[in-house]
């Protein structure tokens, strides 16, 4: 069966989405199963294994304090992915609710919510997360709040623009004239249109969250040692890149594969 030119981009998107999903499955499998297959305390130091080569207990080797890089990488991935997933979920709920409300009600409420979104958008994302981190003592909780405040804006803007356009559709006008409530209209007419775009935006948002967490760790203002985190692991191993280049490559490769998988999943979907 021959393919037309219009089929090729669609097949490319499908392959990109599949490759991204496979990468994410591999990253998640390592993060969740590594502690079961290679049980080790990511905080336990062993001076006899400083920068030691990989062995059966730690296939990725050991860091400058003799800690298992396998255990630390799995723990760091679980932390970053958990915070990113929580931030995307809360940001999506907040943004979609505010976007639907702004588009449905209009008037002063729409202007007020849009003004709030523009005010948050004026602040750089990393700065907003840093401000929240300075106020909230628990780092993971602070990251969740800060990233939620960063991510909800795009969900709000996308939802508001889409719902504003859809509310003028004849099907929705007919449903409202027949007396159907907002919940029915949202579930029957709005959500099917919003869902694909929100999934794409959610994947991009998760990639942004993982990148921000790693960036803050890389400049030593994120997760505090000895707790493992991807950016912090890069900083810790950077002075030893000549003696143990693989130890530095481990968190770099893990971050790259995670971001690549999320971006392929997002870019492989048609918005």
């Amino acid at each position: 069966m021959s393919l037309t030119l219009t089929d090729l981009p669609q097949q490319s998107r499908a392959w990109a989405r599949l490759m991204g999903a496979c990468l994410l499955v591999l990253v998640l499998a390592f993060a969740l199963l590594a502690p079961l297959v290679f049980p080790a305390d990511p905080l336990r130091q062993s001076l006899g294994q400083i920068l030691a080569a990989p062995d059966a207990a730690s296939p990725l080797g050991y860091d400058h304090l003799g800690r298992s890089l396998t255990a630390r990488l799995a723990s760091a991935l679980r932390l970053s992915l958990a915070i990113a997933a929580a931030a995307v979920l809360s940001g999506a709920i907040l943004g979609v609710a505010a976007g639907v409300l702004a588009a449905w009600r209009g008037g002063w409420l729409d202007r007020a919510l849009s003004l709030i979104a523009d005010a948050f958008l004026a602040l750089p994302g990393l700065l907003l997360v840093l401000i929240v981190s300075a106020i909230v003592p628990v780092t993971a909780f602070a990251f969740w709040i800060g990233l939620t405040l960063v991510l909800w804006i795009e969900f709000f803007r996308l939802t508001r623009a889409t719902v504003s356009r859809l509310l003028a559709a004849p099907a929705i006008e007919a449903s409202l004239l027949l007396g159907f409530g907002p919940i029915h209209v949202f579930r029957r007419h709005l959500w099917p249109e919003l869902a694909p775009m929100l999934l794409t935006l959610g994947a991009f948002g998760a990639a942004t969250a993982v990148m921000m967490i790693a960036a803050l760790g890389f400049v030593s203002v994120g997760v505090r040692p000895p707790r493992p985190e991807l950016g912090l692991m890069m900083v810790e191993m950077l002075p030893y890149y000549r003696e143990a280049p693989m130890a530095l490559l481990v968190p770099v490769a893990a971050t790259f594969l995670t971001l690549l998988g999320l971006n392929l999943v997002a870019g492989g979907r048609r918005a």
Side-chain angles (χ1 to χ4, degrees), residues 5-71:
L5 291 176
T6 56
D7 292 327
L8 292 177
Q10 185 175 358
Q11 281 208 341
S12 298
R13 285 191 295 269
W15 276 108
R17 186 165 63 249
L18 179 60
M19 290 175 60
C22 290
L23 283 176
L24 290 179
V25 168
L26 290 175
V27 171
L28 284 171
F30 174 82
L32 297 175
L33 298 180
L36 302 177
V37 181
F38 308 103
D41 185 356
L43 306 182
R44 180 179 177 273
Q45 301 180 16
S46 176
L47 298 182
Q49 294 177 311
I50 292 178
L51 299 179
D55 56 21
S58 179
L60 298 179
Y62 298 85
D63 67 3
H64 62 301
L65 296 177
R67 298 172 297 193
S68 169
L69 281 173
T70 305

Side-chain angles (χ1 to χ4, degrees), residues 64 69 72-73 210-211 213-215 217-220 229-241 247-256 259:
H64 62 301
L69 281 173
R72 290 183 65 77
L73 181 63
V210 171
M211 186 169 56
I213 295 170
F218 191 80
V219 295
S220 301
E229 188 275 322
L230 294 172
L232 183 60
M233 290 177 66
M234 298 179 203
V235 173
E236 290 177 339
M237 297 311 304
L238 194 57
Y240 307 97
Y241 74 97
L248 175 61
L249 184 61
V250 163
V252 174
T255 305
F256 172 76
L259 295 177

Side-chain angles (χ1 to χ4, degrees), residues 26 45 87 126 208 243:
L26 290 175
Q45 301 180 16
L126 285 175
T208 300
E243 295 87 348

